[in-house]
Amino acid sequence: MSNEPIALRQALASFDALWSPRIVTRVNDYDVRVAQVEGEHVWHVHDDTDEFFLVLDGELHISLREPAGERTVRLPRGAVFTVPKGTEHKPYAPTRTAILLFEPTGTSSVGDRHERIPAHVDATTGHTLES
C-alpha cells in the first residue's frame, strides 16, 4: 500500500474490468476498494460482515431479501448504503458506475453464499491497484 495520496479518479482509470474491485488502501483490518460496475452482479450474502457502498459516479441499485420481503434501494452519485451482515443482496448498475467499498480484508466479492457466478463477475478478495 502506498503512503502517498491516491486520486480515486486515476485509480478507476487504471483498469476497465467490471465487477473486479481494486484495493486502494487499508484501514486497520479493512480494505477500501474501488470498482467499476455495470449490469447485474449475483445474489449473495456476507454472513459475518456488513458491506458499505459509496457511489462515486453513476447510479447503483441494490436488491435486498429481508424478512419483510424483497426491496430495492437506489443509490445516486454521492449516496452511501450499508448492507447488514446476513442480508442476501444483489447489486445492479443500469449504466457504467464507479463505487467505493469498505469491508474486512479477505472478504469475497461474491459473499459466503451465492448463486451461480456469471462470467462477467470476478470472484475475488480484491486485486492490488497497479501504480
Side-chain angles (χ1 to χ4, degrees), residues 20 23 26 46 57 89 115 118:
S20 185
I23 301 167
R26 289 198 169 91
H46 301 280
D57 193 32
H89 59 287
E115 293 181 352

Side-chain angles (χ1 to χ4, degrees), residues 14-63:
S14 72
F15 66 99
D16 61 4
L18 297 175
W19 300 108
S20 185
R22 300 304 193 266
I23 301 167
V24 293
T25 193
R26 289 198 169 91
V27 179
N28 298 316
D29 297 332
Y30 283 77
D31 289 341
V32 178
R33 304 174 185 177
V34 293
Q36 299 181 62
V37 301
E38 186 173 8
E40 293 189 356
H41 194 267
V42 61
W43 280 105
H44 66 284
V45 64
H46 301 280
D47 290 323
D48 300 317
T49 186
D50 299 335
E51 187 172 19
F52 173 87
F53 293 86
L54 164 63
V55 177
L56 301 170
D57 193 32
E59 179 176 285
L60 185 70
H61 301 195
I62 304 174
S63 295

Side-chain angles (χ1 to χ4, degrees), residues 44-46 64-66 83-89:
H44 66 284
V45 64
H46 301 280
L64 306 160
R65 290 179 176 156
E66 301 172 311
V83 175
K85 68 181 174 183
T87 302
E88 195 172 8
H89 59 287

Side-chain angles (χ1 to χ4, degrees), residues 6-17 20 22 24 34-36 56-57 96-99 129-131:
I6 298 166
L8 293 180
R9 189 166 282 159
Q10 288 177 312
L12 285 159
S14 72
F15 66 99
D16 61 4
S20 185
R22 300 304 193 266
V24 293
V34 293
Q36 299 181 62
L56 301 170
D57 193 32
R96 194 168 189 100
T97 296
I99 61 174
L129 183 66
E130 300 300 323
S131 309

Side-chain angles (χ1 to χ4, degrees), residues 65-101:
R65 290 179 176 156
E66 301 172 311
E70 199 170 297
R71 71 180 175 115
T72 300
V73 295
R74 181 185 145 287
L75 306 174
R77 180 179 174 205
V80 300
F81 184 76
T82 300
V83 175
K85 68 181 174 183
T87 302
E88 195 172 8
H89 59 287
K90 180 173 85 170
Y92 165 77
T95 60
R96 194 168 189 100
T97 296
I99 61 174
L100 182 140
L101 304 152

